[in-house]
Amino acid sequence: MPPVGFVDPMLPTLVDEAPRGGEWIHEIKFDGYRTVLTIRGKDVHAYTRNGFDWIGRYAPVIAAARGLRCRSAILDGEMCVQNASGITDFPALRGAIKSAPERLVLFAFDLIALDGRDLRGEALRERRRRLRDLVGGDAASRVQLSHEHVGDGPAFFRAADQHGLEGIVSKRADSLYTSGRTKAWVKVKSYTVADYAVLGVERSRTGLPVALLARLGRSPAYVGDAVVTLKARERERFWATVEELGAPRARLAGTIAKRKAAWMREGMVARVRHLRGEDKLRHASIQAIGAEGELPGDVDDARHPDDA
């Protein structure tokens, strides 16, 4: 029997390099909320990755889906908001859901079922052909087809990185749709570099030292941890500064204050390399340390928008 409601989405595996070869298609990695859109006549629902129905938050997209020419369908995509440059903007997405839902766009990249037919056993290239016919090319629609690129995956990733995009997703053109994590779909994410205030230091589960970090500026907030991977002389300076700025308690209140860390007063700033487009720092490592304004060179702006 074909599915009629929520389907657990297919999830790509994070890899270091995009695959090569003509058997792969590549798409921009959208920075938004994964959404499974189900249609049965005028009854349309929009499910989060974990199966929560957000129909009430996505009204313009729901209305656009009701206009698609089908009796029933299940689409897989990403709910997004774009900035003036056409790049998906995750912080703006959360604001738009509350106060400007007309800015929302669903970028559909897969079709799980159509008019009572289960498409999960068909190849991705065939599912996308059907999806292209269903969604069409109306640029004003709140439901858009994600564009694909066939060719050199690493070159496509470099182009995405140069345009400041979060990364790309590469999918085998012959892949079937299977719920859960898979290596038939892979993602490569861009890295960025930014400066953060060091709150303290603790040992990770693997025993490596990690720095607990916060945004710089008037509205500091905990953003995540970064592994301390400095070279010998800089590492000695790091630990000397940790001792010099030692404090009995955390500077920030909340859950972070319960961590078993060696806390510090204000004074150390870390330059951190981490994955772009994440709420919390991921795959983060410290590249250099110094006082605020002391580290040279251009980095991405790590301040909170309220501090601008």
Side-chain angles (χ1 to χ4, degrees):
M1 291 290 293
V4 294
F6 173 71
V7 173
D8 284 316
M10 190 168 176
L11 305 174
T13 297
L14 181 65
V15 296
D16 293 330
E17 185 177 15
R20 304 174 184 272
E23 68 274 20
W24 295 86
I25 66 170
H26 312 282
E27 303 168 69
I28 294 299
K29 187 181 185 305
F30 298 106
D31 196 3
Y33 287 140
R34 186 71 175 271
T35 301
V36 175
L37 194 71
T38 68
I39 304 170
R40 295 183 69 188
K42 299 302 180 182
D43 184 24
V44 179
H45 297 271
Y47 295 98
T48 68
R49 173 176 159 178
N50 293 319
F52 296 102
D53 190 358
W54 280 17
I55 180 176
R57 307 185 188 195
Y58 297 152
V61 174
I62 297 298
R66 290 193 178 109
L68 295 179
R69 295 182 178 181
C70 63
R71 299 187 305 276
S72 65
I74 302 178
L75 289 73
D76 189 3
E78 194 92 357
M79 194 70 70
C80 300
V81 163
Q82 293 172 289
N83 63 20
S85 301
I87 297 174
T88 53
D89 186 338
F90 186 75
L93 170 63
R94 289 179 286 189
I97 290 172
K98 294 180 179 180
S99 58
E102 68 279 359
R103 295 186 62 196
L104 298 173
V105 179
L106 178 75
F107 285 98
F109 47 70
D110 213 325
L111 188 59
I112 298 171
L114 179 65
D115 290 336
R117 180 172 179 174
D118 188 345
L119 303 179
R120 289 175 292 182
E122 297 186 10
L124 173 62
R125 64 170 72 88
E126 179 60 22
R127 298 197 306 271
R128 282 189 57 86
R129 182 190 67 78
R130 295 179 186 275
L131 178 63
R132 190 176 301 111
D133 292 341
L134 175 64
V135 173
D138 182 2
S141 175
R142 297 294 90 190
V143 179
Q144 293 287 320
L145 177 71
S146 70
H147 295 293
E148 66 182 60
H149 170 80
V150 179
D152 189 343
F156 185 66
F157 172 75
R158 287 193 297 272
D161 188 32
Q162 289 168 5
H163 283 82
L165 301 175
E166 185 185 349
I168 69 171
V169 179
S170 301
K171 305 171 182 178
R172 288 193 62 90
D174 60 358
S175 61
L176 310 183
Y177 196 97
T178 56
S179 296
R181 193 71 62 187
T182 176
K183 292 185 178 180
W185 291 11
V186 297
K187 59 184 177 182
V188 185
K189 301 193 71 172
S190 301
Y191 281 86
T192 188
V193 176
D195 291 347
Y196 298 95
V198 181
L199 300 172
V201 186
E202 69 177 13
R203 294 283 175 179
S204 69
R205 294 177 181 176
T206 61
L208 293 174
V210 294
L212 284 59
L213 305 173
R215 295 189 187 98
L216 296 170
R218 296 192 305 273
S219 303
Y222 171 69
V223 293
D225 305 341
V227 177
V228 180
T229 55
L230 300 166
K231 294 183 178 180
R233 182 177 298 180
E234 192 77 346
R235 186 168 61 250
E236 291 174 3
R237 180 181 170 218
F238 173 86
W239 289 112
T241 306
V242 170
E243 184 174 351
E244 176 187 348
L245 299 177
R249 61 184 62 88
R251 306 202 302 266
L252 300 181
T255 305
I256 182 67
K258 299 178 182 179
R259 300 274 290 270
K260 295 180 180 180
W263 299 110
M264 299 166 56
R265 305 189 308 275
E266 292 186 22
M268 186 194 291
V269 172
R271 178 152 296 168
V272 180
R273 182 178 184 264
H274 59 88
L275 289 178
R276 180 183 287 143
E278 300 284 346
D279 274 349
K280 296 292 185 182
L281 302 185
R282 290 187 59 210
H283 295 253
S285 60
I286 293 179
Q287 309 290 295
I289 60 168
E292 185 170 359
E294 176 184 301
L295 293 170
D298 295 329
V299 296
D300 290 351
D301 188 358
R303 297 179 183 272
H304 190 276
D306 293 343
D307 298 324

